[in-house]
Amino acid sequence: MSKSASKPLPQSILFCCDHNAVRSPMAEGIMKKFYGMETYVQSVGVKNDLEIDGFAIAVCQEIGVELSRHRSRSFDEMEEWGDDLSSFDLIVSLSPASQRRALELTRVFHLTVDYWPIMDPTGLGETRETKLNAYRQTRDQIIAKLEQNWGPARQPT
């Protein structure tokens, strides 16, 4: 998709996945890196039972995206901390479970919930290098979906 054909950036976007440890923090970090401060970006998980994944940190560092300070949080924690789902223009779910949860939580709001079927790299690969390659595939799927929706990165990568 050419830059002229891409959609305008939403004012605010929430990425969600199962644990807020791999896919949604990757999407949050890459979105911020590519499009700067034009959009308010956050991420959550259905559950918050895992810390940020080391392989996700490693493959994002390869493209200049810093994830090591990310703190995982769930939909419930987000609401407890005062972030209201209705304040987001767009929710992008990256897993079937997060899609169900997002739709359940937003049924009373007029809010767009998109589903991007992004591969879960956890548990794939036997060696460090094959694991990293699986995480790179996930990172690259996220980049492709971002660029498909909002055009090429506006910030130097």
Side-chain angles (χ1 to χ4, degrees), residues 4 7 16 28 35 64 69 76 99 111 119 149:
S4 60
K7 297 183 258 185
C16 55
E28 176 186 352
Y35 305 106
R69 291 189 302 277
D76 294 339
Q99 172 74 354
L111 189 62
M119 178 183 87
N149 279 278

Side-chain angles (χ1 to χ4, degrees), residues 45-96:
V46 174
K47 296 180 270 191
N48 170 20
D49 55 353
L50 300 172
E51 290 299 315
I52 183 76
D53 186 290
F55 289 110
I57 292 170
V59 301
C60 282
Q61 263 178 339
E62 293 173 352
I63 62 166
V65 173
E66 174 57 50
L67 292 185
S68 65
R69 291 189 302 277
H70 176 79
R71 295 293 162 254
S72 299
R73 65 183 185 158
S74 66
F75 280 106
D76 294 339
E77 288 168 325
M78 185 186 92
E79 289 182 333
E80 286 168 20
W81 297 342
D83 275 335
D84 188 352
L85 279 181
S86 65
S87 66
F88 290 94
D89 295 325
L90 173 64
I91 297 177
V92 175
S93 18
L94 307 171
S95 70

Side-chain angles (χ1 to χ4, degrees), residues 33-51:
K33 170 80 173 172
F34 277 29
Y35 305 106
M37 296 299 155
E38 293 180 58
T39 299
Y40 176 71
V41 185
Q42 291 292 307
S43 65
V44 296
V46 174
K47 296 180 270 191
N48 170 20
D49 55 353
L50 300 172
E51 290 299 315

